[in-house]
């Protein structure tokens, strides 16, 4: 393990300042997963300062929210974080339902939980493959996409889309699930545990991976709190913060599941949190499938939706952490203000502090362990 | 047969022989570089549960030609501000050493371009030029990623040259010669006479091979030690600014280096052109056995690449300085002790 | 160490010099006054505090001492009232508590102190709010455009913004 170096302002024996250079990582860089740019001031391979520069694919979703009706903004929510589109739609739908006091049938809530958790697994699979390819192991990516494919096929069957689902509607869902989906979901729940075991044997227990992640990129619980980092980042710092437990929503209180927590604060802890989370998600899906109630999947929703004035917020546990939608209504059929609080934004904002004094490959390993989706940061 | 040709040509024979080998080695390297790339992609595909390249002609078999055609068609651009001379020199320097090294490799009992007595020394001395070429490429490119990469390459190669040479010295103590053909000759008969299995010379012989293999991966900059390229960290490392055939040459040299490294491993540890069984040897089967062993090792190199993630740079250096060098020193001492111990006992008693 | 809502309420009434707020009755209009307890299941937050612009840093310090984390900073443009509202959302990593702090600044001169010294995570959120609303956070170390282009001189979420 490498001891972290303090940022050296002056050279040895207080002489001239040590020579540093600026390395522009991105916006097109293989480790940046999209158009993230990091302006690194380097002392050799040591980072003295790393400043993320974001906004390259800023699309101003919040402004789009202000010039269309509530329902018309719904497809946008899938496009913020395209890897956990279900969660994002859930938050917006939840906020509107909360404001308009729409009752959602139990069956719809259960299906929301099933699809959300499957989406979480799919998202974690992408993260896992991408992290490993950041670390130079290209094979796991393909295996991860194999599993993700099964989930995407299931989603395609129920809502027609493979990435930007827009499956949830105010008051329920756009379609009921069919037998194929239920059968497929059950098959997936059976299929996944042996695969996870294989990944553990093949990748997680690999000594090179352990060396790359253990003790690298410490992010303490206090740092998470000050920067608002949530999700697997804060759970990898030993805090069992999960919106599903802290602010229970949808049908989550009905299910028995654990929040995986690792106190080590390093990249490995964040890695293990996500790996364990997939198992827990499978548990939730299984329970929900077993107790799926019958009935309609759509509640009573007024034809023209006008929300009572006021502001309402709704948070969900997305794959990357706490996603919150705050809507402000002035009583019209279009939102007055839509605020999207995205987890990757806060998770990345701590990178500058956390990466100080690290060496480049470690910093990139840490960046991978934060699981960034760039449209989620830029919105 | 060569004797007949030799008589026919008389004094001109050495020159014809040289030209023949030159053409042969050139073709061997070219074919290897082209088809090992394809093999690597096919093997990677197999490991990753996908078909690999299968479009360009006869199930993908024409892919190398398509690749080379594309690389030739691309403009070779020299970025402004680079050191033009060094920038152009680097691809030449990276390709020359493996070509020279291959001249002393015995592919069969009589199939060696130059049966030099210091063959092994020649291979290692030319082999270490490779690092210079990568350093030049990184330095001349005037690119920060490339410079970081060249700094890495130098420290990595320096670190791994040492354990590699230590294990080679261990072997030399057992073989007593630097002539590669003689080394192979000593390993005749059954496969337990191969240096890999000669535990009576040194009980750590298989360990020695593992160290050699690890060092070879590091010296040829192959995953999991591909610090020079490290595409997810340094874009393409020292090759970032190279395009077209400039990049193509680096790519070819990588495979040529693998072939050299695996050939040396075959010669030193697996009995070169010797048959593992007493039967099926001779001038026809010899080169065949050599190729079988060579490509088995090349396959292992690829297998490793597609299985493991990349090591972190400082762990890589730690592995060499803290683990490989002490172990290889120990094997060196052990071999020496085991060779001299009987003598000592004889003197004492 | 997880604070209760009553403790937090107490801290803010101390700060604002107001009598402690009563728990909300179901369905009733929220009690008037700057410190309001809200029903989480209806609003999505537990405590809604209106402070003056100069008190946002003090409010942030209170919440920092109680172990809250910064969720988001954002703005709302109330064009009709000629004011802009800056909304600070906080979550607690252990206790199931969510606190919203609001401060209103005049549209003509939207300025208030930064809280990035208390919560470094506010740095980016404030830059973003500055991008979108043109609200200036005094004492912010680097109030340059974050999501908008670096030469942007427009504020798209202002209600009078014409593209």
């Amino acid at each position: 393990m490498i001891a972290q170096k303090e940022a050296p302002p002056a050279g040895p024996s207080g002489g001239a300042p040590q020579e540093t250079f600026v390395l522009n990582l991105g916006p097109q860089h293989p480790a940046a997963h999209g158009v993230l740019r990091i302006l690194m001031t380097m002392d050799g391979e040591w980072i003295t300062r790393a400043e993320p520069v974001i906004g390259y694919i800023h699309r101003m979703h919040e402004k789009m929210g202000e010039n269309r009706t509530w329902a018309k903004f719904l497809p946008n929510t899938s496009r913020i974080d395209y890897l956990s589109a279900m969660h994002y739609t859930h938050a917006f739908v939840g906020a509107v339902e909360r404001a308009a006091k729409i009752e959602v049938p139990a069956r719809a809530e259960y299906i929301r939980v099933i699809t959300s958790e499957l989406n979480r697994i799919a998202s974690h699979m992408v993260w896992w493959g991408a992290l490993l390819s950041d670390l130079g192991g290209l094979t796991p990516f393909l295996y991860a996409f194999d599993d993700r494919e099964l989930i995407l096929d299931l989603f395609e069957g129920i809502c027609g889309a493979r990435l930007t689902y827009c499956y949830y509607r105010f008051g329920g869902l756009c379609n009921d699930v069919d037998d194929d989906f239920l059968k497929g979901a059950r098959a997936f729940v059976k299929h996944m545990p042996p695969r996870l075991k294989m990944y553990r044997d093949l990748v997680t227990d690999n000594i090179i991976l352990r060396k790359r992640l253990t003790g690298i990129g410490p992010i303490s619980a206090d740092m998470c709190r000050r920067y608002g980092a949530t999700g697997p980042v804060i759970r990898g710092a030993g805090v069992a913060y999960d919106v599903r437990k802290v602010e229970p929503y949808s049908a989550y209180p009905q299910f028995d599941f654990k929040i995986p927590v690792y106190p080590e604060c390093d990249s490995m802890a964040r890695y293990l949190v996500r790996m364990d989370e997939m198992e827990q998600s499978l548990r939730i899906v299984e329970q929900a499938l077993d107790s799926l109630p019958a009935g309609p999947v759509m509640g009573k929703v007024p034809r023209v939706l006008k929300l009572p004035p006021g502001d309402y917020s709704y948070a969900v546990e997305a794959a990357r952490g706490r996603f919150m939608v705050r809507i402000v209504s002035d009583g019209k059929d279009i939102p007055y203000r839509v605020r999207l609080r995205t987890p990757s934004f806060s998770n990345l904002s701590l990178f500058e502090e956390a990466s100080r004094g690290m060496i480049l490959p470690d910093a990139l390993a840490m960046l991978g362990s934060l699981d960034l989706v760039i449209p989620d940061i830029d919105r | 047969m060569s004797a007949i040709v030799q008589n026919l040509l008389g004094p001109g024979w050495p020159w014809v022989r040289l030209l023949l080998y030159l053409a042969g080695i050139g073709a061997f390297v070219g074919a290897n570089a082209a088809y090992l790339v394809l093999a690597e992609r096919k093997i990677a595909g197999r490991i990753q549960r996908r078909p690999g390249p299968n479009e360009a002609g006869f199930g993908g078999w024409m892919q190398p030609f398509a690749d080379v055609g594309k690389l030739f068609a691309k403009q070779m651009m020299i970025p402004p501000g680079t050191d033009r001379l060094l920038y152009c020199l680097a691809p030449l320097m990276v390709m020359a050493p493996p070509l020279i090294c291959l001249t002393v490799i015995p592919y069969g009992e009589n199939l060696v371009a130059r049966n030099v007595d210091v063959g092994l020394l020649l291979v290692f001395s030319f082999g270490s030029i490779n690092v210079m070429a990568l350093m030049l490429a990184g330095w001349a490119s005037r690119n920060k990623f490339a410079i970081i990469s060249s700094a890495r390459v130098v420290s990595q190669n320096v670190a791994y040259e040492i354990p590699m040479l230590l294990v080679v010295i261990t072997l030399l103590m057992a073989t007593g010669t630097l002539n590669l053909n003689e080394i192979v000759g000593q390993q005749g008969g059954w496969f337990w006479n191969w240096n890999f299995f000669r535990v009576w010379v040194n009980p750590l012989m298989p360990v020695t091979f593992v160290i050699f293999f690890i060092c070879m991966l590091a010296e040829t900059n192959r995953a999991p030690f591909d610090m020079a390229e490290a595409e997810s960290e340094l874009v393409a490392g020292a090759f970032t600014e190279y395009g077209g055939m400039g990049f193509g040459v680096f790519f070819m040299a990588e495979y040529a280096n693998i072939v050299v490294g695996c050939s040396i491993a075959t010669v030193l540890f697996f009995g070169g052109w010797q048959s593992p069984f007493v039967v099926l040897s001779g001038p026809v089967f010899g080169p065949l056995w050599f190729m079988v062993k060579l490509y088995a090792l090349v396959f292992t190199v690829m297998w490793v690449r597609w299985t493991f993630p990349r090591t972190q740079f400082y762990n890589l250096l730690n592995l060499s300085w803290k683990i490989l060098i002490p172990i290889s020193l120990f094997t060196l001492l052990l071999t020496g002790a085991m060779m001299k111990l009987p003598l000592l006992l004889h003197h004492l008693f | 160490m997880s604070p209760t809502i009553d403790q937090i309420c107490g801290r803010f009434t101390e700060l604002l010099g107001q009598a402690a707020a009563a728990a909300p009755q179901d369905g009733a209009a929220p009690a008037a006054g700057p410190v309001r307890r809200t029903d989480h299941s209806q609003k999505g937050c537990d405590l809604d505090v209106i402070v003056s612009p100069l008190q946002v840093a003090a409010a942030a310090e209170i919440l920092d001492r109680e172990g809250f984390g910064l969720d988001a900073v954002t703005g709302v443009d109330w064009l009709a009232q000629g004011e802009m509202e800056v909304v600070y959302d906080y979550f607690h990593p252990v206790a199931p508590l969510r606190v919203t702090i609001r401060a209103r600044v005049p549209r003509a001169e939207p300025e208030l102190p930064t809280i990035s010294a208390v919560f470094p995570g506010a740095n980016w959120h404030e830059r973003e709010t500055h991008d979108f609303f043109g609200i200036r956070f005094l004492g912010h170390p680097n109030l340059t455009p974050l999501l908008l282009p670096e030469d942007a001189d427009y504020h798209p979420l202002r209600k009078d913004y014409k593209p």
Side-chain angles (χ1 to χ4, degrees), chain A residues 265-345:
Chain A
C265 303
D266 56 1
S267 300
M268 195 69 200
R270 297 189 279 277
Y271 176 97
L272 292 172
V273 163
R274 291 198 182 89
M275 294 312 264
D276 290 1
E277 242 172 54
M278 285 193 262
E279 283 169 26
Q280 297 300 324
S281 292
L282 287 174
R283 275 184 64 196
I284 298 174
V285 172
E286 198 173 14
Q287 290 171 42
L289 285 171
D290 286 341
S291 55
L292 183 64
V297 293
M298 200 65 191
K300 258 209 168 93
V301 184
R303 199 113 190 96
V304 176
L305 193 62
K306 284 186 180 167
L307 301 192
D311 65 4
Y312 311 89
S313 60
Y314 196 91
V316 297
E317 184 69 23
R320 273 148 208 83
R322 174 191 174 80
F323 174 63
M324 183 188 77
V325 171
R326 166 183 285 280
I327 53 176
V328 180
S329 168
D330 59 350
K332 295 212 188 73
D333 56 347
I334 60 171
Y336 190 77
R337 171 92 173 93
V338 179
R339 162 68 177 163
L340 308 161
R341 188 268 183 207
T342 54
S344 295
F345 185 86

Side-chain angles (χ1 to χ4, degrees), chain C residues 96-110:
Chain C
L97 278 181
R98 283 215 43 239
V99 177
T100 304
I101 309 280
R102 297 160 194 280
R104 288 209 172 199
V105 288
R107 276 189 104 244
E109 203 179 339

Side-chain angles (χ1 to χ4, degrees), chain C residues 4-41:
Chain C
T4 61
I5 181 128
D6 294 324
Q7 283 173 338
I8 307 295
C9 261
R11 296 258 188 277
F12 278 109
T13 45
E14 219 172 277
L15 176 75
L16 300 169
Q18 181 215 351
Q25 278 90 45
D26 207 40
V35 181
R36 285 175 300 167
R37 289 174 66 165
T38 47
D39 186 358
H40 188 287
S41 65

Side-chain angles (χ1 to χ4, degrees), chain A residues 225 311 336-337 341 379, chain C residues 68 71 74 77 102 128:
Chain A
R225 181 182 71 78
D311 65 4
Y336 190 77
R337 171 92 173 93
R341 188 268 183 207
R379 299 193 299 280
Chain C
F68 276 81
D71 204 357
T74 189
D77 183 9
R102 297 160 194 280
E128 185 197 304

Side-chain angles (χ1 to χ4, degrees), chain C residues 44-102:
Chain C
C45 90
D46 298 291
L47 188 64
D48 197 320
V49 184
I50 299 170
V51 299
S52 81
L54 293 174
Q55 283 170 321
V56 288
E61 270 165 21
I62 289 175
L63 292 167
D64 184 37
R65 272 201 297 278
E66 298 293 345
F68 276 81
L70 180 75
D71 204 357
V73 179
T74 189
V76 182
D77 183 9
W78 296 105
L79 185 63
Q81 285 101 315
E83 282 179 327
M84 281 209 231
E85 189 176 21
V86 184
V87 186
Y88 300 82
D89 281 303
Y90 295 92
F91 69 96
H92 198 280
V94 185
L97 278 181
R98 283 215 43 239
V99 177
T100 304
I101 309 280
R102 297 160 194 280

Side-chain angles (χ1 to χ4, degrees), chain A residues 88-352:
Chain A
Y88 280 54
T89 320
H90 200 163
F92 183 65
V93 162
V96 172
E97 283 161 0
R98 179 171 276 171
K101 299 198 169 57
I102 298 170
E103 285 287 322
V104 183
R107 185 176 172 85
E109 292 284 22
Y110 271 61
I111 295 170
R112 281 181 182 181
V113 168
I114 295 171
T115 47
S116 282
E117 292 309 311
L118 286 176
N119 199 182
R120 190 184 312 279
I121 296 172
S123 169
H124 282 354
M125 277 339 295
V126 176
W127 154 79
W128 184 70
L131 172 71
L132 263 292
S133 73
D134 275 0
L135 301 179
L138 298 171
T139 302
F141 198 75
L142 278 290
Y143 281 73
F145 269 56
D146 255 12
D147 294 333
R148 179 169 177 264
E149 196 67 15
L150 297 172
I151 298 174
L152 297 194
D153 286 346
L154 289 176
F155 286 168
E156 193 182 1
I158 53 171
C159 64
R162 290 171 65 81
L163 201 63
T164 50
Y165 310 111
C166 193
Y167 178 52
Y168 307 157
R169 297 290 149 88
F170 307 132
L173 309 165
C174 72
N175 285 322
D176 197 357
V177 295
D178 52 4
D179 282 344
D180 285 347
F181 175 84
L182 295 176
K183 236 182 274 162
R186 278 192 192 283
F188 181 78
V189 169
K190 282 214 169 45
H191 157 92
M192 205 53 196
R195 297 282 288 195
L196 286 175
K197 187 180 177 305
M198 181 177 87
Y199 298 152
R200 191 160 55 236
D201 295 344
L202 200 65
V203 177
T204 310
D205 289 342
N206 183 314
I207 179 157
I208 297 179
L209 184 93
R210 294 231 164 222
K211 284 257 177 200
R212 284 301 304 267
L213 297 182
T214 313
I216 300 300
I219 297 174
S220 67
D222 191 52
M223 200 196 279
C224 289
R225 181 182 71 78
R226 285 182 294 120
Y227 280 94
T230 47
V233 179
I234 199 169
R235 291 196 283 277
V239 181
Y241 179 78
D242 189 313
V243 181
R244 290 174 294 177
K245 290 277 189 196
V246 175
E247 299 172 41
Y249 59 96
S250 193
Y252 280 109
Q254 268 100 335
F255 304 116
D256 170 38
F257 62 99
K258 281 200 205 61
I259 305 297
V261 175
Y262 284 83
E264 287 87 2
C265 303
D266 56 1
S267 300
M268 195 69 200
R270 297 189 279 277
Y271 176 97
L272 292 172
V273 163
R274 291 198 182 89
M275 294 312 264
D276 290 1
E277 242 172 54
M278 285 193 262
E279 283 169 26
Q280 297 300 324
S281 292
L282 287 174
R283 275 184 64 196
I284 298 174
V285 172
E286 198 173 14
Q287 290 171 42
L289 285 171
D290 286 341
S291 55
L292 183 64
V297 293
M298 200 65 191
K300 258 209 168 93
V301 184
R303 199 113 190 96
V304 176
L305 193 62
K306 284 186 180 167
L307 301 192
D311 65 4
Y312 311 89
S313 60
Y314 196 91
V316 297
E317 184 69 23
R320 273 148 208 83
R322 174 191 174 80
F323 174 63
M324 183 188 77
V325 171
R326 166 183 285 280
I327 53 176
V328 180
S329 168
D330 59 350
K332 295 212 188 73
D333 56 347
I334 60 171
Y336 190 77
R337 171 92 173 93
V338 179
R339 162 68 177 163
L340 308 161
R341 188 268 183 207
T342 54
S344 295
F345 185 86
S346 302
N347 290 2
L348 179 67
S349 68
L350 55 71
F351 184 74
E352 183 173 342

